[in-house]
PDB file of all heavy atoms in Angstrom:
ATOM      1  N   VAL A   1      -3.968  -3.307 -18.106  1.00 48.00           N
ATOM      2  CA  VAL A   1      -4.979  -3.550 -16.969  1.00 48.00           C
ATOM      3  C   VAL A   1      -4.442  -4.585 -15.985  1.00 48.00           C
ATOM      4  O   VAL A   1      -4.502  -4.422 -14.759  1.00 48.00           O
ATOM      5  CB  VAL A   1      -6.327  -4.051 -17.498  1.00 48.00           C
ATOM      6  CG1 VAL A   1      -7.175  -4.436 -16.363  1.00 48.00           C
ATOM      7  CG2 VAL A   1      -6.959  -2.996 -18.405  1.00 48.00           C
ATOM      8  N   ARG A   2      -3.837  -5.627 -16.475  1.00 55.00           N
ATOM      9  CA  ARG A   2      -3.256  -6.658 -15.635  1.00 55.00           C
ATOM     10  C   ARG A   2      -2.083  -6.105 -14.830  1.00 55.00           C
ATOM     11  O   ARG A   2      -1.879  -6.416 -13.663  1.00 55.00           O
ATOM     12  CB  ARG A   2      -2.824  -7.840 -16.463  1.00 55.00           C
ATOM     13  CG  ARG A   2      -3.933  -8.824 -16.901  1.00 55.00           C
ATOM     14  CD  ARG A   2      -3.391 -10.064 -17.322  1.00 55.00           C
ATOM     15  NE  ARG A   2      -2.494  -9.951 -18.415  1.00 55.00           N
ATOM     16  CZ  ARG A   2      -2.896 -10.065 -19.747  1.00 55.00           C
ATOM     17  NH1 ARG A   2      -4.159 -10.285 -20.080  1.00 55.00           N
ATOM     18  NH2 ARG A   2      -1.967  -9.894 -20.711  1.00 55.00           N
ATOM     19  N   ALA A   3      -1.295  -5.245 -15.488  1.00 53.00           N
ATOM     20  CA  ALA A   3      -0.190  -4.666 -14.753  1.00 53.00           C
ATOM     21  C   ALA A   3      -0.695  -3.752 -13.598  1.00 53.00           C
ATOM     22  O   ALA A   3      -0.049  -3.711 -12.541  1.00 53.00           O
ATOM     23  CB  ALA A   3       0.640  -3.818 -15.766  1.00 53.00           C
ATOM     24  N   GLN A   4      -1.731  -2.928 -13.867  1.00 51.00           N
ATOM     25  CA  GLN A   4      -2.214  -2.100 -12.832  1.00 51.00           C
ATOM     26  C   GLN A   4      -2.850  -2.923 -11.700  1.00 51.00           C
ATOM     27  O   GLN A   4      -2.643  -2.579 -10.495  1.00 51.00           O
ATOM     28  CB  GLN A   4      -3.344  -1.162 -13.397  1.00 51.00           C
ATOM     29  CG  GLN A   4      -2.836  -0.077 -14.351  1.00 51.00           C
ATOM     30  CD  GLN A   4      -4.050   0.647 -14.938  1.00 51.00           C
ATOM     31  OE1 GLN A   4      -5.183   0.552 -14.504  1.00 51.00           O
ATOM     32  NE2 GLN A   4      -3.683   1.629 -15.852  1.00 51.00           N
ATOM     33  N   GLY A   5      -3.421  -4.082 -11.979  1.00 54.00           N
ATOM     34  CA  GLY A   5      -3.937  -5.034 -10.964  1.00 54.00           C
ATOM     35  C   GLY A   5      -2.849  -5.559 -10.130  1.00 54.00           C
ATOM     36  O   GLY A   5      -2.919  -5.617  -8.921  1.00 54.00           O
ATOM     37  N   ARG A   6      -1.773  -5.929 -10.840  1.00 61.00           N
ATOM     38  CA  ARG A   6      -0.597  -6.617 -10.099  1.00 61.00           C
ATOM     39  C   ARG A   6      -0.030  -5.406  -9.198  1.00 61.00           C
ATOM     40  O   ARG A   6       0.496  -5.614  -8.092  1.00 61.00           O
ATOM     41  CB  ARG A   6       0.483  -7.080 -11.062  1.00 61.00           C
ATOM     42  CG  ARG A   6       0.041  -8.369 -11.702  1.00 61.00           C
ATOM     43  CD  ARG A   6       1.273  -9.006 -12.346  1.00 61.00           C
ATOM     44  NE  ARG A   6       1.795  -8.150 -13.383  1.00 61.00           N
ATOM     45  CZ  ARG A   6       1.425  -8.403 -14.662  1.00 61.00           C
ATOM     46  NH1 ARG A   6       0.473  -9.186 -15.060  1.00 61.00           N
ATOM     47  NH2 ARG A   6       1.944  -7.514 -15.607  1.00 61.00           N
ATOM     48  N   PHE A   7       0.078  -4.169  -9.654  1.00 53.00           N
ATOM     49  CA  PHE A   7       0.653  -3.057  -8.874  1.00 53.00           C
ATOM     50  C   PHE A   7      -0.153  -2.911  -7.526  1.00 53.00           C
ATOM     51  O   PHE A   7       0.372  -2.781  -6.472  1.00 53.00           O
ATOM     52  CB  PHE A   7       0.675  -1.779  -9.672  1.00 53.00           C
ATOM     53  CG  PHE A   7       1.073  -0.590  -8.896  1.00 53.00           C
ATOM     54  CD1 PHE A   7       2.527  -0.354  -8.682  1.00 53.00           C
ATOM     55  CD2 PHE A   7       0.161   0.260  -8.392  1.00 53.00           C
ATOM     56  CE1 PHE A   7       2.896   0.784  -7.964  1.00 53.00           C
ATOM     57  CE2 PHE A   7       0.662   1.389  -7.541  1.00 53.00           C
ATOM     58  CZ  PHE A   7       2.021   1.650  -7.471  1.00 53.00           C
ATOM     59  N   TRP A   8      -1.495  -2.760  -7.676  1.00 55.00           N
ATOM     60  CA  TRP A   8      -2.331  -2.566  -6.510  1.00 55.00           C
ATOM     61  C   TRP A   8      -2.314  -3.740  -5.556  1.00 55.00           C
ATOM     62  O   TRP A   8      -2.624  -3.538  -4.363  1.00 55.00           O
ATOM     63  CB  TRP A   8      -3.762  -2.231  -6.903  1.00 55.00           C
ATOM     64  CG  TRP A   8      -3.950  -0.867  -7.592  1.00 55.00           C
ATOM     65  CD1 TRP A   8      -4.090  -0.703  -8.935  1.00 55.00           C
ATOM     66  CD2 TRP A   8      -3.854   0.358  -6.958  1.00 55.00           C
ATOM     67  NE1 TRP A   8      -4.110   0.751  -9.169  1.00 55.00           N
ATOM     68  CE2 TRP A   8      -4.053   1.324  -8.011  1.00 55.00           C
ATOM     69  CE3 TRP A   8      -3.786   0.749  -5.617  1.00 55.00           C
ATOM     70  CZ2 TRP A   8      -4.006   2.704  -7.755  1.00 55.00           C
ATOM     71  CZ3 TRP A   8      -3.754   2.167  -5.348  1.00 55.00           C
ATOM     72  CH2 TRP A   8      -3.925   3.129  -6.372  1.00 55.00           C
ATOM     73  N   GLN A   9      -2.079  -4.933  -6.039  1.00 62.00           N
ATOM     74  CA  GLN A   9      -2.100  -6.152  -5.184  1.00 62.00           C
ATOM     75  C   GLN A   9      -0.713  -6.556  -4.773  1.00 62.00           C
ATOM     76  O   GLN A   9      -0.510  -7.586  -4.117  1.00 62.00           O
ATOM     77  CB  GLN A   9      -2.796  -7.300  -5.865  1.00 62.00           C
ATOM     78  CG  GLN A   9      -4.229  -6.942  -6.193  1.00 62.00           C
ATOM     79  CD  GLN A   9      -4.877  -8.160  -7.035  1.00 62.00           C
ATOM     80  OE1 GLN A   9      -4.207  -9.074  -7.297  1.00 62.00           O
ATOM     81  NE2 GLN A   9      -6.102  -7.940  -7.397  1.00 62.00           N
ATOM     82  N   ALA A  10       0.356  -5.807  -5.142  1.00 67.00           N
ATOM     83  CA  ALA A  10       1.702  -6.123  -4.763  1.00 67.00           C
ATOM     84  C   ALA A  10       1.873  -6.053  -3.280  1.00 67.00           C
ATOM     85  O   ALA A  10       1.328  -5.176  -2.678  1.00 67.00           O
ATOM     86  CB  ALA A  10       2.742  -5.252  -5.441  1.00 67.00           C
ATOM     87  N   ARG A  11       2.605  -7.027  -2.734  1.00 68.00           N
ATOM     88  CA  ARG A  11       2.808  -7.089  -1.364  1.00 68.00           C
ATOM     89  C   ARG A  11       3.478  -5.796  -0.724  1.00 68.00           C
ATOM     90  O   ARG A  11       3.061  -5.276   0.353  1.00 68.00           O
ATOM     91  CB  ARG A  11       3.639  -8.341  -0.967  1.00 68.00           C
ATOM     92  CG  ARG A  11       3.793  -8.447   0.551  1.00 68.00           C
ATOM     93  CD  ARG A  11       4.620  -9.713   0.969  1.00 68.00           C
ATOM     94  NE  ARG A  11       4.731  -9.816   2.410  1.00 68.00           N
ATOM     95  CZ  ARG A  11       3.869 -10.097   3.236  1.00 68.00           C
ATOM     96  NH1 ARG A  11       2.617 -10.315   2.928  1.00 68.00           N
ATOM     97  NH2 ARG A  11       4.123 -10.095   4.558  1.00 68.00           N
ATOM     98  N   TRP A  12       4.511  -5.285  -1.497  1.00 71.00           N
ATOM     99  CA  TRP A  12       5.226  -4.079  -0.989  1.00 71.00           C
ATOM    100  C   TRP A  12       4.252  -2.901  -0.904  1.00 71.00           C
ATOM    101  O   TRP A  12       4.322  -2.112  -0.015  1.00 71.00           O
ATOM    102  CB  TRP A  12       6.374  -3.821  -1.844  1.00 71.00           C
ATOM    103  CG  TRP A  12       6.047  -3.249  -3.197  1.00 71.00           C
ATOM    104  CD1 TRP A  12       5.906  -4.095  -4.329  1.00 71.00           C
ATOM    105  CD2 TRP A  12       5.693  -1.963  -3.584  1.00 71.00           C
ATOM    106  NE1 TRP A  12       5.614  -3.190  -5.422  1.00 71.00           N
ATOM    107  CE2 TRP A  12       5.502  -1.975  -5.043  1.00 71.00           C
ATOM    108  CE3 TRP A  12       5.735  -0.768  -2.864  1.00 71.00           C
ATOM    109  CZ2 TRP A  12       5.164  -0.872  -5.716  1.00 71.00           C
ATOM    110  CZ3 TRP A  12       5.509   0.323  -3.578  1.00 71.00           C
ATOM    111  CH2 TRP A  12       5.167   0.381  -4.997  1.00 71.00           C
ATOM    112  N   PHE A  13       3.363  -2.909  -1.916  1.00 71.00           N
ATOM    113  CA  PHE A  13       2.347  -1.683  -1.836  1.00 71.00           C
ATOM    114  C   PHE A  13       1.382  -1.837  -0.743  1.00 71.00           C
ATOM    115  O   PHE A  13       1.007  -0.886  -0.071  1.00 71.00           O
ATOM    116  CB  PHE A  13       1.715  -1.615  -3.314  1.00 71.00           C
ATOM    117  CG  PHE A  13       0.692  -0.464  -3.343  1.00 71.00           C
ATOM    118  CD1 PHE A  13       1.203   0.766  -3.627  1.00 71.00           C
ATOM    119  CD2 PHE A  13      -0.620  -0.652  -3.208  1.00 71.00           C
ATOM    120  CE1 PHE A  13       0.304   1.897  -3.715  1.00 71.00           C
ATOM    121  CE2 PHE A  13      -1.534   0.473  -3.249  1.00 71.00           C
ATOM    122  CZ  PHE A  13      -0.987   1.626  -3.577  1.00 71.00           C
ATOM    123  N   ILE A  14       0.900  -3.024  -0.436  1.00 77.00           N
ATOM    124  CA  ILE A  14       0.034  -3.260   0.634  1.00 77.00           C
ATOM    125  C   ILE A  14       0.706  -2.916   2.039  1.00 77.00           C
ATOM    126  O   ILE A  14       0.119  -2.259   2.840  1.00 77.00           O
ATOM    127  CB  ILE A  14      -0.413  -4.772   0.636  1.00 77.00           C
ATOM    128  CG1 ILE A  14      -1.245  -5.001  -0.607  1.00 77.00           C
ATOM    129  CG2 ILE A  14      -1.207  -5.050   1.943  1.00 77.00           C
ATOM    130  CD1 ILE A  14      -1.647  -6.537  -0.666  1.00 77.00           C
ATOM    131  N   VAL A  15       1.945  -3.320   2.143  1.00 76.00           N
ATOM    132  CA  VAL A  15       2.701  -2.935   3.424  1.00 76.00           C
ATOM    133  C   VAL A  15       2.803  -1.442   3.474  1.00 76.00           C
ATOM    134  O   VAL A  15       2.692  -0.885   4.606  1.00 76.00           O
ATOM    135  CB  VAL A  15       4.133  -3.628   3.281  1.00 76.00           C
ATOM    136  CG1 VAL A  15       4.938  -3.145   4.501  1.00 76.00           C
ATOM    137  CG2 VAL A  15       3.945  -5.153   3.389  1.00 76.00           C
ATOM    138  N   VAL A  16       3.247  -0.708   2.408  1.00 79.00           N
ATOM    139  CA  VAL A  16       3.444   0.671   2.477  1.00 79.00           C
ATOM    140  C   VAL A  16       2.071   1.407   2.772  1.00 79.00           C
ATOM    141  O   VAL A  16       2.040   2.249   3.592  1.00 79.00           O
ATOM    142  CB  VAL A  16       3.889   1.260   1.034  1.00 79.00           C
ATOM    143  CG1 VAL A  16       3.862   2.724   1.029  1.00 79.00           C
ATOM    144  CG2 VAL A  16       5.399   0.764   0.903  1.00 79.00           C
ATOM    145  N   ARG A  17       0.996   0.820   2.196  1.00 81.00           N
ATOM    146  CA  ARG A  17      -0.264   1.396   2.559  1.00 81.00           C
ATOM    147  C   ARG A  17      -0.730   1.163   4.010  1.00 81.00           C
ATOM    148  O   ARG A  17      -1.277   2.178   4.585  1.00 81.00           O
ATOM    149  CB  ARG A  17      -1.337   0.746   1.588  1.00 81.00           C
ATOM    150  CG  ARG A  17      -2.759   1.340   1.655  1.00 81.00           C
ATOM    151  CD  ARG A  17      -3.626   0.850   0.592  1.00 81.00           C
ATOM    152  NE  ARG A  17      -3.693  -0.674   0.683  1.00 81.00           N
ATOM    153  CZ  ARG A  17      -4.293  -1.470  -0.238  1.00 81.00           C
ATOM    154  NH1 ARG A  17      -4.834  -0.891  -1.298  1.00 81.00           N
ATOM    155  NH2 ARG A  17      -4.301  -2.711  -0.085  1.00 81.00           N
ATOM    156  N   ALA A  18      -0.396  -0.042   4.529  1.00 81.00           N
ATOM    157  CA  ALA A  18      -0.824  -0.241   5.900  1.00 81.00           C
ATOM    158  C   ALA A  18      -0.017   0.742   6.847  1.00 81.00           C
ATOM    159  O   ALA A  18      -0.522   1.277   7.806  1.00 81.00           O
ATOM    160  CB  ALA A  18      -0.431  -1.705   6.326  1.00 81.00           C
ATOM    161  N   PHE A  19       1.356   0.874   6.528  1.00 79.00           N
ATOM    162  CA  PHE A  19       2.119   1.731   7.412  1.00 79.00           C
ATOM    163  C   PHE A  19       1.722   3.178   7.267  1.00 79.00           C
ATOM    164  O   PHE A  19       1.702   4.019   8.185  1.00 79.00           O
ATOM    165  CB  PHE A  19       3.598   1.643   7.122  1.00 79.00           C
ATOM    166  CG  PHE A  19       4.241   0.447   7.711  1.00 79.00           C
ATOM    167  CD1 PHE A  19       4.817  -0.589   6.966  1.00 79.00           C
ATOM    168  CD2 PHE A  19       4.352   0.353   9.074  1.00 79.00           C
ATOM    169  CE1 PHE A  19       5.462  -1.638   7.591  1.00 79.00           C
ATOM    170  CE2 PHE A  19       5.008  -0.731   9.615  1.00 79.00           C
ATOM    171  CZ  PHE A  19       5.513  -1.753   8.835  1.00 79.00           C
ATOM    172  N   SER A  20       1.269   3.592   6.009  1.00 84.00           N
ATOM    173  CA  SER A  20       0.822   4.944   5.843  1.00 84.00           C
ATOM    174  C   SER A  20      -0.531   5.287   6.682  1.00 84.00           C
ATOM    175  O   SER A  20      -0.572   6.343   7.311  1.00 84.00           O
ATOM    176  CB  SER A  20       0.515   5.174   4.430  1.00 84.00           C
ATOM    177  OG  SER A  20       1.698   5.010   3.567  1.00 84.00           O
ATOM    178  N   VAL A  21      -1.397   4.322   6.700  1.00 87.00           N
ATOM    179  CA  VAL A  21      -2.615   4.429   7.530  1.00 87.00           C
ATOM    180  C   VAL A  21      -2.310   4.464   9.010  1.00 87.00           C
ATOM    181  O   VAL A  21      -2.753   5.383   9.794  1.00 87.00           O
ATOM    182  CB  VAL A  21      -3.568   3.199   7.282  1.00 87.00           C
ATOM    183  CG1 VAL A  21      -4.776   3.319   8.304  1.00 87.00           C
ATOM    184  CG2 VAL A  21      -4.088   3.213   5.787  1.00 87.00           C
ATOM    185  N   PHE A  22      -1.278   3.659   9.393  1.00 84.00           N
ATOM    186  CA  PHE A  22      -0.876   3.614  10.861  1.00 84.00           C
ATOM    187  C   PHE A  22      -0.314   4.987  11.265  1.00 84.00           C
ATOM    188  O   PHE A  22      -0.637   5.608  12.253  1.00 84.00           O
ATOM    189  CB  PHE A  22       0.086   2.496  11.060  1.00 84.00           C
ATOM    190  CG  PHE A  22       0.734   2.531  12.514  1.00 84.00           C
ATOM    191  CD1 PHE A  22      -0.032   2.130  13.595  1.00 84.00           C
ATOM    192  CD2 PHE A  22       2.026   3.033  12.648  1.00 84.00           C
ATOM    193  CE1 PHE A  22       0.607   2.202  14.892  1.00 84.00           C
ATOM    194  CE2 PHE A  22       2.612   3.006  13.889  1.00 84.00           C
ATOM    195  CZ  PHE A  22       1.874   2.617  15.025  1.00 84.00           C
ATOM    196  N   ILE A  23       0.591   5.515  10.423  1.00 85.00           N
ATOM    197  CA  ILE A  23       1.270   6.846  10.775  1.00 85.00           C
ATOM    198  C   ILE A  23       0.220   7.989  10.710  1.00 85.00           C
ATOM    199  O   ILE A  23       0.290   8.910  11.568  1.00 85.00           O
ATOM    200  CB  ILE A  23       2.432   7.043   9.687  1.00 85.00           C
ATOM    201  CG1 ILE A  23       3.543   5.955   9.927  1.00 85.00           C
ATOM    202  CG2 ILE A  23       2.948   8.428   9.848  1.00 85.00           C
ATOM    203  CD1 ILE A  23       4.664   6.024   8.992  1.00 85.00           C
ATOM    204  N   GLY A  24      -0.655   7.843   9.700  1.00 88.00           N
ATOM    205  CA  GLY A  24      -1.764   8.914   9.673  1.00 88.00           C
ATOM    206  C   GLY A  24      -2.575   8.934  10.984  1.00 88.00           C
ATOM    207  O   GLY A  24      -2.931   9.984  11.504  1.00 88.00           O
ATOM    208  N   ILE A  25      -2.997   7.756  11.440  1.00 89.00           N
ATOM    209  CA  ILE A  25      -3.775   7.620  12.661  1.00 89.00           C
ATOM    210  C   ILE A  25      -2.988   8.208  13.852  1.00 89.00           C
ATOM    211  O   ILE A  25      -3.397   8.922  14.690  1.00 89.00           O
ATOM    212  CB  ILE A  25      -4.208   6.214  12.958  1.00 89.00           C
ATOM    213  CG1 ILE A  25      -5.242   5.783  11.866  1.00 89.00           C
ATOM    214  CG2 ILE A  25      -4.865   6.130  14.249  1.00 89.00           C
ATOM    215  CD1 ILE A  25      -5.592   4.384  11.872  1.00 89.00           C
ATOM    216  N   TRP A  26      -1.696   7.791  13.924  1.00 83.00           N
ATOM    217  CA  TRP A  26      -0.767   8.240  14.940  1.00 83.00           C
ATOM    218  C   TRP A  26      -0.716   9.859  14.963  1.00 83.00           C
ATOM    219  O   TRP A  26      -0.785  10.439  16.010  1.00 83.00           O
ATOM    220  CB  TRP A  26       0.561   7.652  14.756  1.00 83.00           C
ATOM    221  CG  TRP A  26       1.610   8.055  15.698  1.00 83.00           C
ATOM    222  CD1 TRP A  26       1.626   8.837  16.739  1.00 83.00           C
ATOM    223  CD2 TRP A  26       3.113   7.727  15.625  1.00 83.00           C
ATOM    224  NE1 TRP A  26       2.754   9.021  17.353  1.00 83.00           N
ATOM    225  CE2 TRP A  26       3.676   8.315  16.710  1.00 83.00           C
ATOM    226  CE3 TRP A  26       3.811   6.886  14.751  1.00 83.00           C
ATOM    227  CZ2 TRP A  26       5.047   8.128  16.943  1.00 83.00           C
ATOM    228  CZ3 TRP A  26       5.089   6.690  14.971  1.00 83.00           C
ATOM    229  CH2 TRP A  26       5.742   7.331  16.016  1.00 83.00           C
ATOM    230  N   TYR A  27      -0.451  10.355  13.762  1.00 82.00           N
ATOM    231  CA  TYR A  27      -0.438  11.856  13.634  1.00 82.00           C
ATOM    232  C   TYR A  27      -1.707  12.590  14.161  1.00 82.00           C
ATOM    233  O   TYR A  27      -1.672  13.572  14.871  1.00 82.00           O
ATOM    234  CB  TYR A  27      -0.147  12.251  12.217  1.00 82.00           C
ATOM    235  CG  TYR A  27      -0.065  13.715  11.967  1.00 82.00           C
ATOM    236  CD1 TYR A  27       0.986  14.433  12.353  1.00 82.00           C
ATOM    237  CD2 TYR A  27      -1.098  14.444  11.314  1.00 82.00           C
ATOM    238  CE1 TYR A  27       1.127  15.840  12.194  1.00 82.00           C
ATOM    239  CE2 TYR A  27      -1.027  15.806  11.030  1.00 82.00           C
ATOM    240  CZ  TYR A  27       0.114  16.511  11.497  1.00 82.00           C
ATOM    241  OH  TYR A  27       0.149  17.830  11.363  1.00 82.00           O
TER     242      TYR A  27
END
């Protein structure tokens, strides 16, 4: 459970998620 929490809160994952949202809106 802690590992999953760290995964979802990892900085690299947040960055990837933000760019994915941006590219989706752009599309």
Side-chain angles (χ1 to χ4, degrees):
V1 173
R2 286 196 297 268
Q4 290 178 5
R6 287 195 297 267
F7 176 81
W8 289 103
Q9 296 176 4
R11 179 172 177 79
W12 69 266
F13 183 78
I14 295 174
V15 171
V16 170
R17 187 172 56 187
F19 279 117
S20 300
V21 172
F22 173 76
I23 293 174
I25 294 173
W26 178 4
Y27 179 73

